Amino acid sequence: MYLLDANIFITAKNLHYGFDFVPAFWEWIDHGHTAGILCSTDKVRQELAAGADELSTWVGKRSAFFLSPDAKTLPSLQAVSQWATSRDFTAAAVAEFLSVADFELVAYAHAHGHTVVTHERPNPLSKRRILIPDACEAFGVPWTSPYEMLRSSGAQFVLGSHSPAA
């Protein structure tokens, strides 16, 4: 199962897969969830819902897509927290990581054997920001880009019969 980072939704809406011109992307997300291959966490839902825009409306209609930490996740939350606080990250980097969805996303994936999908790229030398790929790698959690996820899952967004406006 793929766990989607908030930046997947935000970047899709703002750039490549706007609701108005690539609705197939959003339909694919719904189908992926129904098929049991896509989901995210409740903390991601909270971050997206705060936007008060088309994305927050879309998120508000899909509460089942966003999973809450369960008993199996608690030891992973503790382990990821301990990892973050025991490294050479700045106090601000640790505080930010533990307060945003990234922390919950990595811990949930670790506990449940899921793959995290993010636009972030690893930077193991960074001390000022804890990046999802670096946290994933510390725990052996697989992570990937959205484009690799789309390719590996066979997604296709085929142009419909609409002709371009003159």
Side-chain angles (χ1 to χ4, degrees):
M1 172 149 343
Y2 292 108
L3 281 180
L4 306 181
D5 183 14
N7 68 26
I8 301 304
F9 299 99
I10 295 166
T11 302
K13 176 192 72 92
N14 291 338
L15 297 176
H16 311 296
Y17 306 114
F19 286 103
D20 57 339
F21 64 92
V22 190
F25 174 79
W26 303 96
E27 292 167 13
W28 179 82
I29 288 179
D30 286 335
H31 290 295
H33 179 255
T34 302
I37 65 165
L38 296 176
C39 63
S40 193
T41 63
D42 190 55
K43 191 81 166 177
V44 168
R45 182 196 59 76
Q46 291 171 24
E47 288 182 4
L48 298 174
D53 59 6
E54 190 174 21
L55 181 57
S56 66
T57 301
W58 184 88
V59 165
K61 296 176 183 174
R62 287 158 179 83
S63 59
F65 187 91
F66 300 93
L67 307 172
S68 296
D70 55 12
K72 189 174 180 179
T73 309
L74 295 179
S76 293
L77 286 165
Q78 187 175 31
V80 174
S81 174
Q82 184 177 22
W83 170 82
T85 57
S86 68
R87 298 293 180 254
D88 290 332
F89 297 113
T90 65
V94 172
E96 179 186 358
F97 179 73
L98 296 177
S99 70
V100 297
D102 301 0
F103 165 58
E104 185 179 277
L105 200 64
V106 172
Y108 198 95
H110 178 255
H112 294 275
H114 298 330
T115 299
V116 176
V117 182
T118 183
H119 282 290
E120 291 182 8
R121 308 306 315 155
N123 183 359
L125 300 178
S126 175
K127 302 298 179 210
R128 300 176 111 185
R129 184 160 180 238
I130 301 173
L131 298 167
I132 289 172
D134 297 326
C136 284
E137 288 180 7
F139 286 90
V141 172
W143 63 275
T144 191
S145 75
Y147 309 109
E148 288 304 314
M149 172 195 64
L150 291 168
R151 283 185 185 97
S152 68
S153 63
Q156 292 185 346
F157 308 126
V158 179
L159 185 62
S161 61
H162 294 63
S163 60

